[in-house]
Amino acid sequence: MSRAKRIMVQGTMSGAGKSLLCAALCRIFAQDGYRVAPFKSQNMALNSYVTRDGLEMGRAQVVQAQAAEAEPDVRMNPILLKPSSDTGSQVIVMGEIRGQMSAAEYFRYKKQLFPEVLAAFDSLAAENDIIVIEGAGSPAEINLRSGDIVNMGLALRVNAPVLLAGDIDRGGVFAQLYGTVALLQPEEQAQIAGLVINKFRGDLDILRPGLSMLEERAGKPVLGVVPYLKVDLDDEDSLAPCLTQESSHKPLDAAVVRLPRISNFTDFTPLEDHPQIGVRYVDDPRKLGSPDIVILPGTKSTMADLLWMRQNGLEAAVQKLAASGTLVLGVCGGYQMLGSAIHDPQGVEHGTPGSVRGLGLLPIETTFLPEKSRTRVQATVTAGPLAGARLDGYEIHMGRTEVKGRPFCVLDSGQPDGCALGAVWGTYLHGLFDSGELVQQLAALLCQRKGLTVETAQAMSHAAYQQTQLDLLAAGVREALDMEQIYRVMEDS
């Protein structure tokens, strides 16, 4: 086994801040001169990413890799589960689809994947000085202890000291931390190097008596109280509460349809960062209103989500807005929905062959095939007033689309992508706004249509913006944690 140091962050629950704490540690260790890699053996998310070698991994580990100043690598997230229903997921192992499984099927199958998880970890550890490991959910989910490959099962196997994080913002943090420790087996308790209280707002002096009692009862030191840090980083959770339906105070209104299986919603984060564009997520036609642009995002279940739109009235509302001249943009699955029809002759999406009528706003027709397209691409927009904007994105989809109209953009390879018809546009490219150029041109177009003055600013790529936010995150966490003790426990392991 590699001699690389390792540290693991586990949480008392989902949403305790594990991902951001791991990103902060990756940046801190990189700033201190170490070669660092993040690692999460199993991630469940619809927010995924395509690596340079065309493999698929979870977005959270991509952000952590950026924090570590490392190239994203599927070894950092060997298992990705992409939910396709309430009880089933597409299982992706080392960037490739391994199959569609129910929760029960995967629970039985995952033990077979542990050797691949350990091989990925050992390979990364051989190339780096420090591995920052992220757990999933909570280690106190005692019904899942048998065959655990992501929390204490992994920590014990690779001898990783664990920082257990609790979210004080949700309340009950002392019970969270003490209860989690109490439910663990003795050997698992011994693996915990310290406790971390996350997302604290208030007077630390008032909290201190509770910290002393917590340390005494749990038998573990508190290694830091991390304040509620206002950093703007990509969220891995497609159900994140930040997907608000409320209108912002910005003059331009972008309404994203919040599909039940929305994926890669971080495509629109650069829009939110623009000073004039307010982005809201809408799942009710009564709240759609009269936005300046409607966006249909990606989805893991295109046909089912299209039927959901049809049943709740959002399809008719979008069609009415498009007929009135409102801009409409579809991305990936949302692009497929804009066509005349979607066919699934082999039952790729849910096992049952079938077809469904599309919104009929673009002259395209899509047929699903078992093979998934996973490619990183660069392109130039050719659609009307947005022409000339450079894109740096990626494709993740399982359909081939026949286009009988003009393309939205042209890839650097010369291949056309997407379709444009009047004020309706569609593209397969995720990350289309990340370069910043398309954001600027879209804002200028919306301002022109609304008679507003454009706020000119130099376009900043999303990647460059993320780097500034990672530095802010690392500074706040470094100040809050006992980094000397964390280095010490890594050496001892």
Side-chain angles (χ1 to χ4, degrees):
M1 181 176 289
S2 166
R3 297 171 64 90
K5 303 180 186 70
R6 66 283 316 262
I7 188 74
M8 187 172 194
V9 178
Q10 297 185 24
T12 57
M13 65 179 79
S14 295
K18 297 183 294 290
S19 294
L20 287 182
L21 287 173
C22 285
L25 289 172
C26 283
R27 177 51 61 97
I28 289 168
F29 294 141
Q31 290 172 340
D32 291 350
Y34 293 95
R35 293 173 301 168
V36 189
F39 185 82
K40 185 171 185 176
S41 59
Q42 173 189 295
N43 200 346
M44 177 175 281
L46 287 173
N47 222 15
S48 61
Y49 177 89
V50 174
T51 63
R52 292 197 183 280
D53 48 358
L55 300 173
E56 193 172 358
M57 64 183 289
R59 188 95 186 185
Q61 279 60 61
V62 173
V63 173
Q64 292 163 7
Q66 293 167 344
E69 301 175 359
E71 182 68 26
D73 187 313
V74 291
R75 293 176 296 171
M76 299 169 180
N77 175 212
I79 304 172
L80 174 62
L81 305 178
K82 300 187 75 173
S84 52
S85 69
D86 290 341
T87 59
S89 295
Q90 185 181 77
V91 179
I92 297 171
V93 181
M94 295 301 291
E96 303 276 7
I97 297 174
R98 191 65 62 93
Q100 188 79 22
M101 300 185 193
S102 68
E105 288 172 330
Y106 178 71
F107 185 77
R108 294 189 296 268
Y109 176 71
K110 69 177 182 179
K111 298 177 184 178
Q112 301 176 37
L113 298 178
F114 207 13
E116 294 181 72
V117 167
L118 294 174
F121 178 87
D122 288 341
S123 178
L124 280 176
E127 299 172 7
N128 291 276
D129 302 316
I130 298 175
I131 307 295
V132 178
I133 311 169
E134 181 184 345
S138 164
E141 292 166 348
I142 53 180
N143 58 311
L144 302 178
R145 175 175 288 135
S146 175
D148 171 49
I149 64 173
V150 67
N151 284 313
M152 284 300 177
L154 178 64
L156 289 166
R157 188 63 180 266
V158 302
N159 192 26
V162 173
L163 302 179
L164 180 63
D167 178 2
I168 195 171
D169 196 51
R170 296 192 185 188
V173 73
F174 298 119
Q176 291 176 37
L177 291 165
Y178 175 74
T180 299
V181 174
L183 284 170
L184 298 178
Q185 296 293 323
E187 66 273 17
E188 296 171 336
Q189 293 175 349
Q191 210 65 30
I192 297 178
L195 311 176
V196 175
I197 291 179
N198 198 20
K199 305 181 188 178
F200 177 68
R201 320 181 202 221
D203 189 337
L204 189 55
D205 288 334
I206 297 175
L207 187 67
R208 282 199 174 95
L211 302 182
S212 300
M213 287 186 281
L214 176 63
E215 290 180 328
E216 179 183 347
R217 297 190 183 193
K220 299 293 177 182
V222 175
L223 296 184
V225 177
V226 179
Y228 199 106
L229 298 170
K230 294 181 180 180
V231 293
D232 183 15
L233 290 167
D234 288 345
D235 198 306
E236 72 170 336
D237 187 357
S238 59
L239 300 179
C242 63
L243 303 190
T244 178
Q245 296 194 30
E246 299 299 322
S247 298
S248 73
H249 297 295
K250 296 180 180 180
L252 301 176
D253 179 21
V256 180
V257 176
R258 184 172 178 170
L259 301 169
R261 294 290 170 188
I262 185 173
S263 64
N264 291 70
F265 68 90
T266 48
D267 285 342
F268 315 115
T269 302
L271 288 180
E272 298 175 24
D273 296 336
H274 192 278
Q276 290 179 286
I277 302 176
V279 179
R280 56 194 176 93
Y281 291 76
V282 180
D283 58 10
D284 186 331
R286 294 169 296 182
K287 296 181 179 179
L288 184 58
S290 302
D292 299 302
I293 182 171
V294 178
I295 300 175
L296 301 185
T299 167
K300 185 66 183 67
S301 301
T302 305
M303 296 173 73
D305 282 1
L306 175 54
L307 291 174
W308 171 84
M309 284 184 61
R310 185 159 295 156
Q311 291 162 0
N312 76 357
L314 271 169
E315 177 191 44
V318 172
Q319 289 171 324
K320 184 177 180 180
L321 286 171
S324 70
T326 300
L327 300 180
V328 177
L329 169 66
V331 179
C332 198
Y335 165 48
Q336 295 170 337
M337 291 180 183
L338 291 173
S340 59
I342 302 172
H343 307 291
D344 189 3
Q346 301 181 48
V348 171
E349 266 208 345
H350 294 293
T352 304
S355 295
V356 63
R357 171 175 51 85
L359 272 72
L361 298 179
L362 285 178
I364 65 171
E365 196 164 327
T366 299
T367 301
F368 285 147
L369 299 170
E371 298 79 22
K372 178 181 278 193
S373 296
R374 298 185 308 262
T375 314
R376 290 203 63 84
V377 297
Q378 288 76 44
T380 302
V381 177
T382 54
L386 303 179
R390 289 287 295 165
L391 310 181
D392 184 356
Y394 53 96
E395 297 183 28
I396 312 175
H397 61 90
M398 298 185 73
R400 288 187 182 174
T401 299
E402 180 183 357
V403 180
K404 297 180 180 178
R406 295 181 178 180
F408 174 75
C409 63
V410 175
L411 309 185
D412 284 1
S413 65
Q415 179 182 345
D417 171 82
C419 184
L421 180 63
V424 181
W425 309 312
T427 176
Y428 270 121
L429 299 193
H430 292 292
L432 69 165
F433 294 113
D434 284 1
S435 72
E437 292 189 23
L438 186 57
V439 176
Q440 294 294 89
Q441 291 192 216
L442 178 61
L445 174 62
L446 294 176
C447 284
Q448 180 185 20
R449 288 168 62 98
K450 210 166 183 177
L452 301 174
T453 302
V454 182
E455 289 188 19
T456 57
Q458 184 176 359
M460 176 184 285
S461 74
H462 187 54
Y465 177 74
Q466 291 276 98
Q467 291 297 324
T468 64
Q469 295 300 302
L470 285 165
D471 284 337
L472 290 172
L473 173 67
V477 172
R478 185 192 287 272
E479 184 177 352
L481 294 185
D482 185 345
M483 290 306 303
E484 288 187 10
Q485 179 63 12
I486 290 173
Y487 272 115
R488 193 174 300 119
V489 298
M490 288 196 299
E491 290 287 353
D492 293 343
S493 68

